[in-house]
Amino acid sequence: MEFALSEDQLMLQSSVQGTLENVSSLDHVRRVAAGEHEVTGAINAALAELGLAQLLIPETHGGLGLGALEAALVQEALGFAVSPAAFLASALATEAIKSAGTEAQQSQWLPAINTGTVRMAAALTETVSTREGAGLVAENGHLTGKTLFALEADTATHLLTADTAGGLHLVDLTAPTITQSPLETIDQTRRYTELVFDKTAAEPLGQNGAGSPALQRTLALGRILLAADTLGACQNMLGKAIAYAAERKQFGRVIGSFQAVKHMCAEMAAKLEPARSLVWHSAYLFDTEPEKAALMACLAKSHLSEVGTFVARTSTEVHGGMGFTDLVGLHYWFKRIGANRQWLGGPEILRAEAARLQGWA
Amino acid sequence: MEFALSEDQLMLQSSVQGTLENVSSLDHVRRVAAGEHEVTGAINAALAELGLAQLLIPETHGGLGLGALEAALVQEALGFAVSPAAFLASALATEAIKSAGTEAQQSQWLPAINTGTVRMAAALTETVSTREGAGLVAENGHLTGKTLFALEADTATHLLTADTAGGLHLVDLTAPTITQSPLETIDQTRRYTELVFDKTAAEPLGQNGAGSPALQRTLALGRILLAADTLGACQNMLGKAIAYAAERKQFGRVIGSFQAVKHMCAEMAAKLEPARSLVWHSAYLFDTEPEKAALMACLAKSHLSEVGTFVARTSTEVHGGMGFTDLVGLHYWFKRIGANRQWLGGPEILRAEAARLQGWA
Amino acid sequence: MDLALSPEFETFRAEVAALLTANADKAPTSADRGMKHPKRLAWQKFLIEHGLTARTIPTEYGGYGAAPDILQSRIIAEEFAKSGLPRGLAGQGISMLVPTLLELGTDQQKADWIAPTLRGETIWCQGYSEPGSGSDLASLTTRGEIDGEDYVINGQKIWTSTAKQADMIFCLVRTEPDAKKHHGISYLIFSMDTPGIEIRPLVDMTGAANFNEVFFTDVRVPRSQIVGEPGKGWQVANATLTHERGMLGDPNAAEARLLAIAELMKTETLNGAPLIDNPLLRDRLIRLQAEVYAMQANGLRVMTARLKKESAGLAGLIVKLQGCELNHELARLAIDALGELGVLYGETPYIKDNGSWQWRYMYDLGLIIGGGTAQIQKNIIAERGLALPREPRLAKA
Amino acid sequence: MDLALSPEFETFRAEVAALLTANADKAPTSADRGMKHPKRLAWQKFLIEHGLTARTIPTEYGGYGAAPDILQSRIIAEEFAKSGLPRGLAGQGISMLVPTLLELGTDQQKADWIAPTLRGETIWCQGYSEPGSGSDLASLTTRGEIDGEDYVINGQKIWTSTAKQADMIFCLVRTEPDAKKHHGISYLIFSMDTPGIEIRPLVDMTGAANFNEVFFTDVRVPRSQIVGEPGKGWQVANATLTHERGMLGDPNAAEARLLAIAELMKTETLNGAPLIDNPLLRDRLIRLQAEVYAMQANGLRVMTARLKKESAGLAGLIVKLQGCELNHELARLAIDALGELGVLYGETPYIKDNGSWQWRYMYDLGLIIGGGTAQIQKNIIAERGLALPREPRLAKA
């Protein structure tokens, strides 16, 4: 019995974190936010050397054959650095192909993702929350309609998406029948787009229909990774708050010696530590007890969203006016936590789904 | 434009409060809790001299002809003192007779309440939340079934109640077809009973049917008064917390000089002041703009319930271990606030009703 | 308790409403950019002449000269809200400097500055906070050394809004470094064109530069440009800080926000159903509605106290803390209700209400922090409102 | 990460389960009242002999003598929970005094007290807190003056559970009044039958006397009955306080509570529909479920750290604060879900789960306060866990 990270896991996380410190510092993030998208390319290139795209690809297809826990640790490091690096969409697509794809599809796509000749985007928003008349209708191997908040579609070659009946599809993003428009969000570290399809050719994954287990599993992975991303972002915000409180003086003493500030930091830590344990446990169960994955993912993401909202605000308050400015850049974390909260289901939606999964609704 | 209590209103409240200090002190409360019900009788007798039973009776029937705001001020004083005094049930019955009764019924019942020859209990629980198969079925001038949490039925002569269709009735409590069993709650300052009726004679008030406006108005008054009761109880708990914090020493200083304790008190006050304004406003609108009464009552009671839960807990925490003991008796207020929260609708139920009243559900 | 207005006030309301309706065409629109756009200045002049702004400022200083009347002010505010027309100017010059000069300025200062400020011809900014002096404002270190007839000012201010547009600044400067912290500060007014002033925009989390940093290098200010006595600047400034605190936490703004969210929830859909049908979102909405109504009623209590020239006590002390928090929570609900659409920001498809919910969510957090953080507010409530002891003095390290 | 148990532990689990099943008839029931009921003492003896309690206490002191193994302890706990049989005794003598004596007692003290305490023949109570010394325990003033070979004790203790049933007390007494606060305290053990001891039950908000006050008037205790050195009692006590803090906030108890509420919400109805159909109650349930799972996983992390003999760091420091709060909130949900029925208390019709939700709601608030208030816990987390500065020393008044 051991509920702790292995040496390998710790090494993986620290190597990602170390690389990010060099190639994805706050300065880099600021440049990306200012529109220098080539910086993102450089970050992705540096991370590619660590094998992030290969992480979830089975060894039989040339990958590292690691699991959701390792992916969550990587994502936590990305959140810690509010890194613009591509990872989440590719992880979701990999999982979908592994779960839903035929053997032939797996043999075709997984090695291509593994070597980087295919870069995957993901558009699953409408499988959770349909707004603005969005949704893709599948007919005779083609998709028609629109999907919002496609992740990383502007730089990917292919897309994982789902139709209104829950079937998963892969789409070549160079198809001329696709119109892509950027969607600007508060979180300038991620690129979302709207995709409009007009009888766009799509390859259905496996023979799955509505509410397929593969879709549920893919969503579960996405939610666990978003929870991990928020965890990392919170950890950094807490660390920054403690450092600021220990250094900033008012009324002749460091503000961290005032009980009000001290307790704000203590409350953040008190919420964050169990939250970290929950993220680890969810990811571990995703790999070891798949039947628990969907529930745990809903609980982990909804809980981390609530903790994240608290930490984002409280850390900003500890920083006083400085937290509100762009000078320390705290808002990049604040906004990433805010965006994570809404994608693939806000807390209320996820808790309702958790109730359904347990037969409580 | 004046949003403040008049001289008369201040005098009314302070005379009730002054009387309660003499006849309904914590010592008296303790004796009532220990089963000395004659103490309650003495409190009621002392308050009768102030005309509490006459308060809401129109002057044409010999009463004081005052309104919900005055009633709320009295109830606030009762909550402040956690007094076991009878008031709430009589106020509800008076309002119901005024709203639903025919002229003849008003002329019969209101003077009798006014002079004290009739003492009213109230059993309206099932008009809000039906549990345990409770509910009274009306048929040919008789009621059959059971109702839970009848208030003050053990000492009253008559009862206001409602049938499952929402019609209001008056019942003679001496009828042999009634079985009454006490229901013990955490709040030992109020007496609740279960009433079982077996074809018990009942006088329907007016010609009202289901969801009658008179029932809604009676419930609204009850909710406003319960909110006022919680307000008074909270005010006392806050005052006790401040006094304790200013006196209790630990680590060589009064605990009220620690920022954590100071902020707990500040948070209680910051929630309580707007809550007080809301209670006054709700009661004022009950009298002046009846069409707003039902909504305001739902908002006032649900809000005061949430504030009450916070204040009850926080004041106890400020008192440390002392707050947990019976020594300072703080728990009488804690429990009264807890009981107020549930009767005539907990916060979730009331907010759902507030939404319905605004066409939002 | 009587919330009805007496007939004279209803008459007044009708007059204000008629005046606004009849002159709506004079009002500037958002297309008339620039704080000194001729249409804006003309509108301000019109409003002053008709007593719809600068109402209680004496006519000798360019105001309308009416006796203070809180109900009239409230009616004017309500009628502006109904009309949708822009209100009179309300920059820091008008809201903070003018009251200060009226109370503590010399005759010359009043004559020089109040009228052009009211007319919008002279725009002011505030130089109080410094990077090292936020909650502990009195620890400010920008220094003004006497050199002949001038103060020579060196140092840095922060959180200065409209610094770029301002003609003048009112500024706290430490002129007596050996005096105790709250003494030795002077309140100076000087032109933003004085040599040695550098302005750097301060971008904040909303993405805009709502504030600036202002740097002073050997800025020479004649000693006559002091308001009040040398070394008494802290007391001068506190008079105006009171004005600033009173401005925050407007309960009518909170109700408008609530109604906007209710409307949003009735029109926007999630998975085909209006958001208002979601019991969880609805429950949050109603919970906040109760708080909005509580703050509104509390505002009536505070206004009544002012009408009676009494202290509003605790009911007044809690306004900033509770009001800012409530507005922040309202914005949070709107964002959560909109879900993915709630994080859109900037010029982008599908954005709702121009992204104002996100903007408010962030800006309100700034308000929770600025002008006395939530922690400072709780200290004030506990110490002034509940008579709990102040933070004890520390032993020397 | 590997949450599976290795085969040797699964074997151990099977053995424990079999042992409990085979001997279930030996277990006392709630009908066997009294802490020293023969059936209880016999069951305790049986459990010790089979290593199901006092497992790691050396055999020479009456224990089972196994090497410490956290997983074995956990398996035993889980199998007891499954079987529904009463666990071994866990009073303050066993959980606090025995570890203290093992670490700091003389050979004679170990020989005299450990075995009868383990067997349940000697019952102990704790004399630490005083009315004036709660959070600031080290300020205690109960004094022990030397008179010949005795300490003569005068003063008062509070929060003493099982004082009426106890044979003995372990007690903190100020024996060196001139020494600094944390010095000058001694840890004494003496009989509750010693003349001069008066016990007054302390009724609390639950209506029961879960604790007592204990008064000492010229209580004579031989100087030999000290544990550790004179004046070192604070250090002796802290060893056992650590044990006490570790006991609180059991995440498995929280899960049991969660499941009980889910069951309650499935079976109880409101207006004809099961409570679980109410989206608001359901949302609160799931919200708490996430917190329960988070605390459970956190418990696994803490246990892993102990297995590796490492510090669990922050994950360990937050257990009491978060665990107590979570249990309190769970009880609050159950009460709200039951509505009017949720406030029933005592022997009364329609009461659910014997009123235990109200009892827990109140008792848990006591736990939030007791054993280090929430405020003290936050100080500890901030100072020890986050290295923020301690409360600064004050200037002399």
Side-chain angles (χ1 to χ4, degrees):
Chain A
M1 212 293 309
E2 180 171 30
F3 190 85
L5 302 181
S6 69
E7 287 298 317
D8 284 354
Q9 288 162 344
L10 287 169
M11 240 167 59
L12 169 69
Q13 193 174 41
S14 81
S15 71
V16 173
Q17 207 157 339
T19 302
L20 290 173
E21 278 167 24
N22 289 324
V23 303
S24 186
S25 68
L26 179 55
D27 276 348
H28 294 97
V29 170
R30 286 187 192 282
R31 287 167 59 191
V32 171
E36 293 183 41
H37 290 304
E38 62 277 19
V39 175
T40 310
I43 299 170
N44 286 339
L47 287 174
E49 290 182 25
L50 298 175
L52 292 207
Q54 289 98 308
L55 195 95
L56 291 169
I57 310 272
E59 290 174 272
T60 49
H61 293 294
L64 297 172
L66 296 171
L69 182 52
E70 283 81 8
L73 295 172
V74 167
Q75 190 71 55
E76 185 188 342
L78 294 173
F80 189 90
V82 287
S83 179
F87 177 70
L88 184 50
S90 176
L92 295 187
T94 302
E95 184 58 43
I97 295 166
K98 279 160 64 180
S99 298
T102 60
E103 292 238 346
Q105 285 175 321
Q106 298 194 32
S107 300
Q108 178 194 348
W109 291 98
L110 295 177
I113 295 172
N114 197 55
T115 56
T117 55
V118 156
R119 290 187 311 281
M120 296 298 306
L124 297 171
T125 306
E126 286 73 30
T127 63
V128 179
S129 47
T130 301
R131 301 181 197 249
E132 299 290 339
L136 300 175
V137 176
E139 205 173 17
N140 301 329
H142 291 79
L143 291 172
T144 297
K146 66 182 178 185
T147 177
L148 303 181
F149 297 94
L151 186 62
E152 295 164 19
D154 56 342
T155 53
T157 60
H158 293 75
L159 174 80
L160 167 73
T161 192
D163 61 44
T164 49
L168 292 164
H169 303 263
L170 298 181
V171 177
D172 181 343
L173 281 169
T174 61
T177 51
I178 302 178
T179 314
Q180 190 166 162
S181 323
L183 293 174
E184 303 283 336
T185 76
I186 47 164
D187 175 16
Q188 295 171 295
T189 64
R190 289 216 194 91
R191 296 175 323 285
Y192 295 102
T193 54
E194 174 193 14
L195 296 175
V196 181
F197 292 172
D198 182 12
K199 294 191 186 140
T200 302
E203 175 180 336
L205 274 175
Q207 278 85 37
N208 291 295
S212 73
L215 172 60
Q216 291 315 312
R217 189 154 170 82
T218 306
L219 287 175
L221 180 65
R223 288 163 179 166
I224 290 169
L225 294 184
L226 286 167
D229 195 81
T230 291
L231 172 67
C234 286
Q235 190 61 44
N236 200 336
M237 287 194 90
L238 171 59
K240 284 181 158 56
I242 294 166
Y244 190 78
E247 169 203 300
R248 166 82 172 172
K249 280 191 177 182
Q250 291 284 274
F251 305 103
R253 48 197 272 203
V254 295
I255 61 170
S257 74
F258 285 103
Q259 216 179 12
V261 175
K262 210 186 263 191
H263 285 193
M264 287 161 92
C265 292
E267 284 165 15
M268 286 191 272
K271 287 182 197 287
L272 211 45
E273 283 309 311
R276 170 186 314 284
S277 308
L278 182 63
V279 171
W280 286 3
H281 199 197
S282 306
Y284 172 79
L285 291 175
F286 183 92
D287 293 330
T288 56
E289 301 185 44
E291 70 282 6
K292 292 185 180 167
L295 173 62
M296 291 303 289
C298 288
L299 296 178
K301 179 166 189 276
S302 61
H303 185 59
L304 267 288
S305 295
E306 305 292 12
V307 170
T309 298
F310 176 79
V311 170
R313 174 190 164 154
T314 306
S315 172
T316 305
E317 278 194 85
V318 169
H319 281 81
M322 258 326 105
F324 181 62
T325 69
D326 181 55
L327 293 174
V328 289
L330 201 69
H331 64 93
Y332 288 107
W333 284 267
F334 183 99
K335 292 166 179 170
R336 177 114 159 197
I337 290 168
N340 284 350
R341 181 178 171 99
Q342 306 302 344
W343 203 53
L344 302 188
E348 278 94 357
I349 290 174
L350 294 177
R351 287 193 291 262
E353 185 167 335
R356 272 194 301 277
L357 286 166
Q358 296 175 91
W360 290 350
Chain B
M1 211 297 306
E2 181 171 27
F3 190 87
L5 303 181
S6 68
E7 287 297 318
D8 284 355
Q9 287 163 344
L10 288 168
M11 241 167 57
L12 169 68
Q13 193 174 40
S14 81
S15 72
V16 174
Q17 208 158 338
T19 302
L20 290 173
E21 278 167 24
N22 289 324
V23 303
S24 186
S25 68
L26 179 55
D27 276 349
H28 295 97
V29 170
R30 287 187 191 282
R31 288 168 59 193
V32 170
E36 293 183 40
H37 291 303
E38 62 278 18
V39 175
T40 310
I43 298 170
N44 287 338
L47 289 173
E49 290 183 25
L50 298 175
L52 291 207
Q54 290 99 309
L55 196 96
L56 291 170
I57 309 273
E59 290 174 271
T60 49
H61 294 295
L64 297 172
L66 296 172
L69 182 52
E70 284 80 7
L73 294 172
V74 168
Q75 191 71 55
E76 185 188 340
L78 294 172
F80 189 90
V82 287
S83 178
F87 178 70
L88 184 51
S90 176
L92 296 187
T94 302
E95 184 58 44
I97 295 166
K98 280 159 64 180
S99 299
T102 62
E103 293 237 345
Q105 285 176 319
Q106 297 194 32
S107 301
Q108 179 195 347
W109 291 99
L110 294 177
I113 295 173
N114 197 54
T115 56
T117 55
V118 156
R119 290 188 312 282
M120 295 298 307
L124 298 171
T125 305
E126 286 73 30
T127 64
V128 179
S129 47
T130 302
R131 302 181 196 248
E132 299 289 340
L136 300 175
V137 176
E139 206 173 16
N140 302 328
H142 291 80
L143 291 171
T144 298
K146 66 183 178 185
T147 177
L148 304 181
F149 298 93
L151 187 62
E152 295 164 20
D154 56 341
T155 53
T157 59
H158 293 76
L159 173 80
L160 166 74
T161 191
D163 61 44
T164 49
L168 292 164
H169 303 263
L170 298 181
V171 177
D172 181 344
L173 281 168
T174 60
T177 52
I178 301 178
T179 314
Q180 190 166 163
S181 324
L183 294 173
E184 303 282 337
T185 76
I186 47 163
D187 175 17
Q188 294 172 296
T189 65
R190 289 216 194 91
R191 296 175 323 285
Y192 295 102
T193 54
E194 173 193 16
L195 296 175
V196 181
F197 292 173
D198 183 11
K199 295 191 186 142
T200 302
E203 175 181 334
L205 274 175
Q207 277 85 37
N208 291 296
S212 74
L215 172 59
Q216 291 314 314
R217 189 156 170 82
T218 306
L219 287 174
L221 181 66
R223 288 163 179 165
I224 290 169
L225 294 184
L226 287 167
D229 195 82
T230 291
L231 173 66
C234 286
Q235 189 61 45
N236 201 337
M237 287 195 89
L238 171 59
K240 284 182 158 57
I242 294 165
Y244 190 78
E247 171 202 300
R248 165 82 172 173
K249 280 191 176 180
Q250 290 284 274
F251 305 103
R253 48 197 272 204
V254 294
I255 61 170
S257 73
F258 285 103
Q259 217 178 13
V261 175
K262 211 187 263 192
H263 285 193
M264 288 162 91
C265 292
E267 285 165 14
M268 285 191 273
K271 287 182 197 287
L272 210 45
E273 284 308 311
R276 170 186 313 285
S277 308
L278 181 64
V279 170
W280 286 3
H281 199 197
S282 306
Y284 172 79
L285 291 175
F286 183 91
D287 293 331
T288 58
E289 302 185 45
E291 70 282 6
K292 292 186 179 164
L295 173 62
M296 291 303 291
C298 288
L299 295 178
K301 180 167 188 276
S302 61
H303 184 60
L304 267 289
S305 295
E306 305 292 13
V307 171
T309 298
F310 176 80
V311 171
R313 174 190 163 154
T314 306
S315 172
T316 305
E317 277 194 86
V318 169
H319 281 81
M322 257 324 105
F324 180 64
T325 68
D326 181 55
L327 294 175
V328 289
L330 201 69
H331 63 94
Y332 288 107
W333 285 266
F334 183 99
K335 292 167 179 170
R336 178 113 158 197
I337 291 169
N340 284 350
R341 181 179 172 99
Q342 307 301 345
W343 202 53
L344 301 186
E348 278 94 357
I349 289 175
L350 294 177
R351 287 193 291 262
E353 184 167 336
R356 272 194 301 276
L357 287 166
Q358 296 175 92
W360 291 349
Chain C
M1 188 165 296
D2 179 4
L3 301 187
L5 293 174
S6 61
E8 69 192 272
F9 287 108
E10 292 302 349
T11 308
F12 179 76
R13 182 189 294 282
E15 288 166 7
V16 171
L19 196 62
L20 288 175
T21 307
N23 293 281
D25 59 322
K26 294 194 175 73
T29 68
S30 58
D32 305 318
R33 284 171 189 269
M35 293 176 79
K36 293 188 187 172
H37 188 284
K39 220 169 163 189
R40 289 186 184 274
L41 298 190
W43 179 245
Q44 176 73 359
K45 187 159 170 282
F46 169 82
L47 296 180
I48 296 174
E49 282 167 3
H50 292 83
L52 298 179
T53 197
R55 183 172 175 82
T56 62
I57 312 285
T59 48
E60 59 180 308
Y61 302 128
Y64 181 75
D69 187 312
I70 291 168
L71 285 184
Q72 289 182 340
S73 308
R74 181 182 156 207
I75 288 166
I76 292 170
E78 287 170 355
E79 292 307 313
F80 267 104
K82 276 188 215 158
S83 72
L85 295 173
R87 298 201 55 175
L89 301 177
Q92 288 179 315
I94 289 174
S95 65
M96 297 179 73
L97 177 83
V98 167
T100 304
L101 287 187
L102 282 173
E103 199 172 327
L104 298 161
T106 62
D107 289 346
Q108 188 64 45
Q109 285 169 338
K110 291 181 196 173
D112 287 351
W113 298 115
I114 295 179
T117 301
L118 293 180
R119 288 196 300 265
E121 293 159 12
T122 302
I123 293 166
W124 292 78
C125 63
Q126 170 190 296
Y128 283 6
S129 295
E130 299 181 4
S133 305
S135 291
D136 185 11
L137 180 58
S139 70
L140 59 89
T141 59
T142 290
R143 64 189 192 282
E145 285 162 302
I146 293 177
D147 182 27
E149 283 308 296
D150 295 339
Y151 286 109
V152 180
I153 302 173
N154 283 281
Q156 180 193 349
K157 295 292 175 182
I158 195 170
W159 305 118
T160 309
S161 52
T162 67
K164 290 246 169 199
Q165 299 84 356
D167 304 289
M168 296 286 294
I169 186 169
F170 53 97
C171 190
L172 290 180
V173 172
R174 187 165 300 282
T175 51
E176 294 161 41
D178 298 331
K180 281 200 175 173
K181 189 164 142 182
H182 292 81
H183 302 80
I185 294 170
S186 295
Y187 185 108
L188 300 179
I189 55 178
F190 50 95
S191 167
M192 286 297 282
D193 290 334
T194 318
I197 299 180
E198 188 200 344
I199 300 166
R200 290 187 208 155
L202 185 63
V203 176
D204 60 52
M205 68 192 301
T206 68
N210 292 294
F211 300 93
N212 301 274
E213 295 178 287
V214 179
F215 295 82
F216 304 119
T217 311
D218 293 333
V219 175
R220 298 191 82 88
V221 174
R223 287 165 70 179
S224 61
Q225 290 181 205
I226 193 168
V227 178
E229 287 171 47
K232 296 283 186 209
W234 181 254
Q235 291 69 25
V236 176
N238 261 319
T240 54
L241 269 183
T242 315
H243 285 271
E244 186 185 48
R245 288 207 176 121
M247 285 161 57
L248 297 163
D250 175 2
N252 294 316
E255 191 188 12
R257 206 176 272 207
L258 179 85
L259 293 174
I261 297 172
E263 194 52 40
L264 189 77
M265 286 173 59
K266 280 191 272 185
T267 50
E268 293 296 322
T269 61
L270 168 62
N271 299 332
L275 294 174
I276 197 95
D277 287 359
N278 181 315
L280 299 165
L281 296 173
R282 202 163 60 208
D283 188 71
R284 277 175 67 181
L285 180 69
I286 303 285
R287 191 187 277 254
L288 291 170
Q289 183 179 34
E291 293 190 30
V292 168
Y293 284 14
M295 283 306 288
Q296 269 190 319
N298 200 64
L300 295 175
R301 250 173 94 199
V302 172
M303 183 188 294
T304 298
R306 285 194 193 150
L307 281 169
K308 296 181 171 182
K309 306 206 186 306
E310 293 170 355
S311 160
L314 272 171
L317 285 177
I318 58 87
V319 169
K320 199 232 158 187
L321 180 70
Q322 294 299 92
C324 289
E325 181 66 33
L326 181 51
N327 279 327
H328 183 69
E329 282 300 306
L330 285 164
R332 197 166 78 82
L333 170 59
I335 292 167
D336 277 351
L338 288 170
E340 297 89 350
L341 301 179
V343 299
L344 291 170
Y345 200 59
E347 306 229 338
T348 194
Y350 303 114
I351 195 160
K352 303 299 160 191
D353 299 329
N354 290 313
S356 62
W357 298 111
Q358 276 292 346
W359 190 86
R360 288 169 180 183
Y361 183 61
M362 292 187 277
Y363 196 79
D364 287 345
L365 183 52
L367 288 182
I368 288 172
I369 293 167
T373 64
Q375 290 66 47
I376 296 288
Q377 296 298 325
K378 289 178 196 174
N379 282 353
I380 292 172
I381 294 166
E383 293 168 10
R384 295 193 207 156
L386 308 177
L388 284 167
R390 289 175 162 271
E391 191 72 22
R393 282 201 315 121
L394 304 190
K396 304 267 180 216
Chain D
M1 188 166 296
D2 179 5
L3 302 187
L5 294 175
S6 60
E8 72 193 88
F9 287 107
E10 291 302 348
T11 306
F12 179 76
R13 183 189 293 284
E15 287 166 7
V16 172
L19 196 61
L20 289 175
T21 307
N23 293 280
D25 59 322
K26 293 193 176 71
T29 69
S30 57
D32 304 319
R33 284 172 188 270
M35 292 175 79
K36 294 188 187 171
H37 189 285
K39 218 169 163 188
R40 290 186 183 274
L41 298 190
W43 178 245
Q44 176 74 357
K45 186 159 172 281
F46 168 81
L47 295 180
I48 296 173
E49 282 168 3
H50 293 82
L52 298 179
T53 196
R55 183 170 174 84
T56 62
I57 311 285
T59 47
E60 61 182 304
Y61 302 126
Y64 180 75
D69 186 311
I70 292 169
L71 285 184
Q72 287 182 340
S73 307
R74 182 182 154 206
I75 288 167
I76 291 170
E78 287 170 355
E79 291 308 312
F80 267 105
K82 277 188 214 158
S83 72
L85 295 174
R87 299 200 54 174
L89 300 177
Q92 288 179 315
I94 290 174
S95 65
M96 297 179 73
L97 177 84
V98 167
T100 304
L101 287 186
L102 281 172
E103 199 172 327
L104 299 161
T106 62
D107 289 346
Q108 188 64 46
Q109 285 168 338
K110 292 181 196 172
D112 285 352
W113 298 115
I114 295 178
T117 301
L118 293 181
R119 288 196 300 266
E121 294 158 11
T122 302
I123 293 167
W124 293 77
C125 63
Q126 170 191 294
Y128 283 6
S129 296
E130 299 182 4
S133 305
S135 292
D136 185 13
L137 180 58
S139 70
L140 60 88
T141 60
T142 290
R143 65 189 191 282
E145 286 161 301
I146 293 178
D147 182 28
E149 281 309 294
D150 295 339
Y151 287 109
V152 180
I153 301 173
N154 283 281
Q156 180 192 349
K157 295 292 175 181
I158 196 171
W159 305 119
T160 309
S161 52
T162 65
K164 290 247 172 199
Q165 299 83 358
D167 304 289
M168 295 286 293
I169 185 169
F170 53 98
C171 190
L172 291 179
V173 172
R174 188 165 299 282
T175 50
E176 294 161 40
D178 298 330
K180 282 198 174 175
K181 189 165 143 183
H182 292 82
H183 302 82
I185 295 170
S186 295
Y187 186 110
L188 301 178
I189 55 179
F190 50 94
S191 166
M192 286 298 281
D193 290 334
T194 318
I197 298 180
E198 187 199 345
I199 299 166
R200 291 187 207 155
L202 185 63
V203 175
D204 60 52
M205 69 192 299
T206 67
N210 292 293
F211 300 93
N212 301 275
E213 295 179 287
V214 180
F215 295 81
F216 303 119
T217 309
D218 294 333
V219 175
R220 298 192 81 91
V221 174
R223 288 166 68 178
S224 60
Q225 289 181 207
I226 192 168
V227 178
E229 288 172 45
K232 297 283 185 208
W234 181 254
Q235 291 69 26
V236 176
N238 261 320
T240 54
L241 268 183
T242 315
H243 285 271
E244 187 185 47
R245 287 206 178 121
M247 283 161 57
L248 297 163
D250 175 2
N252 294 316
E255 191 187 12
R257 207 178 271 207
L258 179 86
L259 293 174
I261 297 173
E263 193 54 38
L264 189 76
M265 286 173 58
K266 281 192 271 186
T267 50
E268 293 297 320
T269 63
L270 168 61
N271 299 332
L275 294 174
I276 198 95
D277 286 359
N278 181 315
L280 299 165
L281 295 173
R282 201 163 61 207
D283 188 71
R284 278 175 66 181
L285 180 69
I286 303 286
R287 191 187 276 255
L288 291 171
Q289 184 179 32
E291 293 190 30
V292 168
Y293 283 14
M295 283 305 290
Q296 269 189 320
N298 200 64
L300 295 175
R301 251 173 93 198
V302 172
M303 184 188 293
T304 298
R306 285 196 194 149
L307 280 168
K308 295 180 172 183
K309 306 206 187 304
E310 294 170 356
S311 160
L314 272 170
L317 285 177
I318 57 88
V319 168
K320 198 232 159 186
L321 180 70
Q322 294 298 93
C324 290
E325 181 66 34
L326 181 51
N327 279 328
H328 184 68
E329 282 301 306
L330 285 164
R332 196 166 79 81
L333 170 59
I335 292 166
D336 277 351
L338 288 170
E340 297 88 348
L341 301 179
V343 299
L344 291 170
Y345 199 60
E347 306 230 337
T348 194
Y350 302 115
I351 196 160
K352 303 298 159 191
D353 299 328
N354 289 314
S356 62
W357 297 111
Q358 275 291 347
W359 190 86
R360 287 170 181 183
Y361 183 61
M362 294 186 276
Y363 195 79
D364 287 346
L365 183 52
L367 288 182
I368 287 171
I369 292 167
T373 65
Q375 289 67 47
I376 296 287
Q377 295 299 324
K378 289 178 195 173
N379 282 353
I380 292 173
I381 293 166
E383 293 167 9
R384 294 192 208 156
L386 308 176
L388 283 167
R390 291 176 160 270
E391 190 73 21
R393 282 200 316 121
L394 304 189
K396 303 267 179 216

